[in-house]
Amino acid sequence: MVGTDRGIRTVEDVMALLDGLFAPGADRWTEGGAEWWDGFYADRGRPVPFFVPKPDENLVSYAERGLLPDGGRALDLGCGPGRNTLHLASLGYRADGVDLSANAIRWAGERAEESGTEGVRFTCGDAFAAGTVEGPYDLVYDSGCLHHLPPHRRVGYLALLDRVLAPGGVFALTAFAAGEGGMGSERPDADFYRAGALDGGLAYTDDDLRTLFADLEPLEVRRMRDEPEDSPHFGRSFLWTALFRRP
């Protein structure tokens, strides 16, 4: 008799099943995607906009306007080479950066050492796996992680925020913006499973972000401002920036 393979018993079983609907090599969101990201960060001289050692303009703006918590712990999800993690540490946070790529984490550590930045810690691993990050955090920041997650993995993203974001804490992110001048795919969620790929990332609207994070209080949702090459800050208008507070 042929086995029926009825092994779905937990939410993680469902997540794994849905992950498997994507083509081999499409994974950019679990530890299985680490090798792809290592290749992405291997050549530091590539003209990738966010390889620059500059913090996001919106993150700088939040701090200048007093919208961020006054010190405490901060988590930078998908930190890459650590540009925003280092900025958070410079603001006085005990800042943790986490990324799937060992190459990115190595680069981030070198930047911290070169700049003499203290109060920062980098971890290579899956932020959504149990035990990788431990809250509570007063601030959680995501610059470009959410839009690389398939729709079903938003469940784990929200669960992570619920687990590690302190009451009264602040959550902020940047994500591909839908609409004119935006970036990322605007196809319906179901299409990604039919295609078996994410088309480079998912685009979000203002309403999408407000709905996804409906349990949080929205403080600001806007397009990121374009920053010139000689600016000390990073900014590209094809991204949304969003700031929320946990009640």
Side-chain angles (χ1 to χ4, degrees):
M1 182 183 222
V2 177
T4 54
D5 190 22
R6 301 287 190 259
I8 303 298
R9 300 183 61 249
T10 69
V11 171
E12 274 310 304
D13 290 337
V14 175
M15 295 295 114
L17 174 68
L18 294 173
D19 286 343
L21 297 180
F22 289 85
D27 184 359
R28 305 284 185 272
W29 56 89
T30 73
E31 288 185 354
E35 183 177 356
W36 189 92
W37 286 111
D38 273 341
F40 182 83
Y41 286 108
D43 181 2
R44 300 182 183 183
R46 293 173 60 208
V48 177
F50 56 85
F51 277 12
V52 294
K54 304 176 181 181
D56 289 341
E57 64 83 6
N58 53 297
L59 184 59
V60 174
S61 174
Y62 299 152
E64 290 178 343
R65 288 182 286 154
L67 298 178
L68 299 182
D70 186 17
R73 299 184 68 206
L75 173 65
D76 186 7
L77 287 172
C79 65
R83 58 191 182 85
N84 288 307
T85 325
L86 296 179
H87 183 68
L88 290 168
S90 76
L91 295 175
Y93 292 98
R94 301 188 303 281
D96 293 341
V98 61
D99 200 281
L100 286 173
S101 170
N103 281 341
I105 292 298
R106 189 176 302 111
W107 190 1
E110 291 171 12
R111 282 180 167 176
E113 185 175 357
E114 290 167 0
S115 63
T117 303
E118 298 181 351
V120 63
R121 178 177 61 178
F122 292 106
T123 300
C124 181
D126 180 356
F128 306 104
T132 303
V133 295
E134 297 292 342
Y137 287 98
D138 303 283
L139 168 62
V140 175
Y141 190 64
D142 166 10
S143 185
C145 177
L146 174 68
H147 56 225
H148 288 299
L149 300 181
H152 63 283
R153 286 290 174 179
R154 294 181 200 133
V155 175
Y157 192 104
L158 293 173
L160 175 69
L161 286 182
D162 187 59
R163 187 171 72 251
V164 305
L165 185 61
V170 167
F171 164 65
L173 82 160
T174 70
F176 287 152
E180 185 177 354
M183 188 172 178
S185 176
E186 299 183 31
R187 297 166 66 182
D189 281 352
D191 280 5
F192 299 114
Y193 298 95
R194 299 185 183 103
L198 294 183
D199 295 339
L202 282 64
Y204 288 84
T205 67
D206 178 319
D207 286 342
D208 289 336
L209 295 176
R210 293 176 186 274
T211 299
L212 180 58
F213 301 109
D215 292 338
L216 306 177
E217 175 193 0
L219 301 180
E220 180 175 271
V221 182
R222 64 169 172 83
R223 287 284 187 124
M224 181 181 259
R225 288 188 287 269
D226 279 314
E227 293 287 331
E229 293 301 319
D230 59 354
S231 170
H233 310 139
F234 171 85
R236 293 292 188 276
S237 61
F238 57 72
L239 296 165
W240 282 115
T241 72
L243 181 67
F244 299 88
R245 178 181 292 120
R246 183 172 190 176

